[in-house]
Amino acid sequence: MKYLNFSLPSLVAAVAMLASPLAAQAEGTIRIAQQFGIAYLLLDVVQDQKLIEKHAKAQGLGEVEVEWNQISGATAMNEALLSGSLDVVSAGVPPMLTLWDRTKGRQNVKAISALGSLPNYLITNNPKVKTLKDFSDKDRIAVPAAGTGFQSRTLQIETAKQFGKDDFKRFDTISVSLPHPDATAALIAGGSEINSHFSSAPFYYQAMDANKAVHKVLSSYDILGGPATFNVLYTTQKFHDENPKTYKAFYAALKEAEQYVKADKARAAQLFIRAQKSKLPLDFVRKIIEDPENDFTVVPFRTAVYADELFKLGVLKNKAASWKDYFFDEAFAQGS
């Protein structure tokens, strides 16, 4: 699996390419990127079990070229997609919506599927912080992409509710961009400037198990009104339309991966450890996969909450009539 790095300044150049067509990839080739953590379990299954290759043959493609990459942070993901370096990227719902909004009528970026409904926890080792209102300018909240990623946008939605729309970026000033593994290590060790973390699985499980001072302040499920999609896969209209067989093979692979996980969660835990070369104990990973809060599904849930709330805050310029505006039609069977 490749690890790609993209600099933030070059995002400007990538955005400038919106108006110009990118070179088409040949049918039977797909370049995919995922981030870190168990939230990407379905992609681990797809890769490990070679499900794209399996379904490509069913589409009559024969041998298919699949390139896997791993990137940290939504900004880098979006930059890679816009620059044409990748065909399919993965990130939280808000970063996908941002790209859908900015490329509407041009590259027309849309979501392919969900990767699961999993909560993120805002956690802290500061004993004085029990609610959002207890954070001060002395605290530092680690997030993968400060101000723009899933965690920051989710926090902005809740901040607007509690402090008013005009102050929705209140906590951006104390947010720090840091990969989940590094933020987790900081919270476990203590004594760091980073004393809080808006964290995904398995990282909040690790932090709360390893340091009893670490506690939950709130969950993304609290903010969104219940179970909701965490991450999605997305691509451009060009890739979707010009690679119909490859796209169908990929979507079929994702659906089979969902069934694989739900059929045998113990087996899925073993696969995750093998695929990610993880040092996490098998029982610990299995506990996460079996946690009823976590649903590894391609079906989107409550994504419209993000679309509606971020439009109200002015983050999105285009109002979505429904979730179907920003998903490709293969996902229309069910979702929200």
Side-chain angles (χ1 to χ4, degrees), residues 1-8 10-11 14-15 18 22 31-37 39-40 43-44 67-100 102-103 107 109-110 112 115 144-145 148-151 180 230-236 250 276:
M1 181 178 286
K2 288 186 178 181
Y3 292 82
L4 297 184
N5 292 308
F6 294 88
S7 63
L8 284 176
S10 61
L11 180 58
V15 172
L18 287 175
L22 299 172
R31 300 164 300 170
I32 308 162
Q34 67 185 81
Q35 297 191 55
F36 299 90
Y40 298 89
L43 290 179
D44 289 327
E67 179 185 299
W68 293 92
N69 305 274
Q70 202 158 26
I71 299 173
S72 179
T75 301
M77 283 286 183
N78 286 352
E79 179 181 342
L81 185 63
L82 293 179
S83 69
S85 300
L86 293 169
D87 302 312
V88 175
V89 298
S90 52
V93 176
M96 176 276 295
L97 284 169
T98 298
L99 216 54
W100 163 77
R102 292 177 181 174
T103 64
Q107 285 178 302
V109 170
K110 293 184 182 180
I112 298 167
L115 283 172
T148 60
F150 172 92
Q151 292 79 10
H180 286 308
F230 172 24
N231 290 317
V232 290
L233 292 158
Y234 48 108
T235 189
T236 61
F250 182 48
Q276 290 295 321

Side-chain angles (χ1 to χ4, degrees), residues 13-54:
V15 172
M17 295 178 68
L18 287 175
S20 60
L22 299 172
Q25 291 295 308
E27 178 82 289
T29 300
I30 184 169
R31 300 164 300 170
I32 308 162
Q34 67 185 81
Q35 297 191 55
F36 299 90
I38 204 165
Y40 298 89
L41 177 59
L42 293 188
L43 290 179
D44 289 327
V45 174
V46 168
Q47 182 180 13
D48 184 84
Q49 297 295 298
K50 297 188 181 301
L51 297 181
I52 298 174
E53 292 86 342
K54 171 186 172 181

Side-chain angles (χ1 to χ4, degrees), residues 94 98 132 141 146-149 151-175 198 223 306 309-317:
T98 298
L132 205 56
I141 304 171
T148 60
Q151 292 79 10
S152 282
R153 293 303 189 197
T154 305
L155 186 56
Q156 288 169 0
I157 289 171
E158 183 63 18
T159 303
K161 292 177 185 176
Q162 293 195 27
F163 298 93
K165 177 181 174 180
D166 292 341
D167 202 17
F168 79 96
K169 292 186 177 181
R170 167 188 287 249
F171 296 108
D172 286 9
T173 58
I174 63 169
S175 295
F198 211 149
I223 297 169
Y306 281 111
E309 294 301 321
L310 294 178
F311 176 76
K312 291 176 186 176
L313 293 177
V315 173
L316 302 179
K317 304 304 179 186

